[in-house]
Amino acid sequence: MEPWFPLLGGQGWTRRIHSVMSERKKDQRRPIGVSVRLRYKTRGIQVFPGEYVIGRSRGCHVIIDDDLVSRRHACLSLEEPSRLALRDLGSRNGVFVNGRRIGEDTRGLADGDIFAIGSEELYVYVDTGDLPVPDVLVDRLEDSSRLVLKPSVVTVPERTETTNDLDLIGAVADRALLAGHPRDAEKLLEMHLRSVLVDSQSFGRTSARVRHKAFDYALRLAEATAKGEWFDYAVDILCSDKSVCSQAQFSKLQKVAKVVPCVDIRRLRRYTAILRADAPSMAGIRMATLIDALAGQSERDRP
């Protein structure tokens, strides 16, 4: 057998070192353990071991250009053996996994999980081979990555910040409510709903569409949390609107009034006074009568 030491310094040894180093370089770029991928809409992302910051800042590894996303919103990490985890970096609007806010704790991710950053959702696939999306584009998430994910385009007729925030945050809150996490939805919506009411009462610069949306969300929160303050908020929105509410809106008030333990009768009386003074039409008078009856019933039902 030919001894190996004559290869030292020779071309054969150089080729062998080059081959070994090339293989090591390839191994370092290959995901540890099983394959881990994310799916964003029709886009696939192959995740390699490391830590990746997700946010609005151009310095993040994954950039989400969304008003609901903080500059440094969350950190996604992948460690051996395929331990995928997500943590909130103190974001304003939180990080959600399967519809539930994760808080300050690091949350492990498994195959089939869905996590939301702002209004954008990403799906987790572990060791599933090809992504279940035809002709999907696959990006690589590694240390040098700067992946830009574009948010869904929301078309709204009013371009104020409050309107855009409520439209965007509402989509996230809807998922929390559907998943049975009303407290998370309340935390998301509270500040934005308060802004709508202040704008309506002080400046009158919100559209009827936005006020109706705020009215609906408030009653959904009242029903889900059994908090009378959200019922009262809905009545305040009607008072700021100074118009006759629809039969559908009254039916929602009537339904939720049976769920919350206590409502502010004075607010309902104030709204009936507004209807009789500012909308003295037959429709206004009929609605004022219905609201009066609702106030009377709520007063009788008080414990």
Side-chain angles (χ1 to χ4, degrees):
M1 177 183 292
E2 186 178 85
W4 61 269
F5 53 83
L7 295 175
L8 289 172
Q11 292 182 352
W13 177 255
T14 302
R15 286 194 298 270
R16 183 179 177 187
I17 288 291
H18 178 75
S19 175
V20 170
M21 294 303 292
S22 296
E23 289 300 318
R24 286 183 177 178
K25 188 175 181 181
K26 289 180 182 177
D27 288 342
Q28 290 172 356
R29 298 174 64 86
R30 190 176 296 129
I32 294 174
V34 299
S35 174
V36 176
R37 292 189 183 187
L38 305 177
R39 179 169 64 83
Y40 171 74
K41 296 183 179 178
T42 57
R43 189 171 175 181
I45 302 171
Q46 179 76 59
V47 183
F48 289 79
E51 289 195 347
Y52 308 104
V53 177
I54 304 172
R56 202 175 69 248
S57 169
R58 295 297 165 184
C60 295
H61 297 93
V62 179
I63 303 164
I64 301 180
D65 190 11
D66 186 330
D67 290 340
L68 297 178
V69 176
S70 301
R71 290 181 59 79
R72 291 170 58 86
H73 197 108
C75 180
L76 180 73
S77 62
L78 176 60
E79 300 177 359
E80 187 179 8
S82 297
R83 289 196 296 266
L84 190 65
L86 186 66
R87 73 175 186 273
D88 192 335
L89 296 180
S91 66
R92 176 182 174 185
N93 291 313
V95 177
F96 290 77
V97 176
N98 300 329
R100 185 159 195 171
R101 192 166 184 163
I102 65 174
E104 298 179 355
D105 297 330
T106 298
R107 168 67 186 266
L109 297 176
D111 181 52
D113 282 344
I114 304 171
F115 66 91
I117 306 291
S119 59
E120 304 307 300
E121 288 185 338
L122 292 96
Y123 296 73
V124 177
Y125 296 92
V126 179
D127 197 24
T128 57
D130 294 334
L131 290 174
V133 178
D135 303 321
V136 70
L137 299 176
V138 179
D139 294 303
R140 302 168 66 90
L141 182 55
E142 46 197 347
D143 290 340
S144 60
S145 296
R146 291 296 181 271
L147 302 181
V148 180
L149 307 184
K150 296 295 183 182
S152 303
V153 177
V154 179
T155 303
V156 293
E158 183 177 54
R159 301 306 299 170
T160 64
E161 183 178 355
T162 300
T163 303
N164 289 336
D165 282 354
L166 187 57
D167 279 323
L168 291 170
I169 204 69
V172 184
D174 284 338
R175 290 194 289 268
L177 287 170
L178 288 172
H181 307 301
R183 303 298 181 190
D184 291 334
E186 184 180 34
K187 289 178 183 177
L188 283 167
L189 287 167
E190 183 172 10
M191 182 186 67
H192 302 283
L193 291 178
R194 301 297 181 196
S195 296
V196 171
L197 184 58
V198 169
D199 285 349
S200 299
Q201 292 175 332
S202 304
F203 308 105
R205 65 187 184 190
T206 56
S207 68
R209 184 188 70 83
V210 174
R211 291 193 294 272
H212 291 168
K213 183 184 283 286
F215 174 90
D216 286 341
Y217 273 124
L219 289 183
R220 288 177 66 187
L221 287 177
E223 186 174 18
T225 63
K227 288 185 177 180
E229 64 187 83
W230 288 117
F231 180 94
D232 297 339
Y233 173 98
V235 179
D236 286 340
I237 284 289
L238 293 177
C239 291
S240 69
D241 201 16
K242 295 183 179 179
S243 63
V244 182
C245 70
S246 66
Q247 185 62 46
Q249 287 177 313
F250 173 74
S251 297
K252 291 176 182 178
L253 283 172
Q254 195 174 37
K255 175 186 176 184
V256 177
K258 298 176 182 178
V259 176
V260 295
C262 185
V263 300
D264 190 340
I265 306 300
R266 292 171 301 174
R267 280 182 165 88
L268 290 170
R269 302 291 189 200
R270 184 166 68 245
Y271 180 51
T272 60
I274 290 172
L275 289 178
R276 291 189 171 98
D278 296 344
S281 62
M282 288 302 297
I285 293 171
R286 282 197 297 269
M287 185 53 66
T289 303
L290 290 174
I291 297 292
D292 273 336
L294 176 61
Q297 184 64 48
S298 298
E299 193 168 25
R300 289 190 295 273
D301 290 342
R302 279 182 171 177

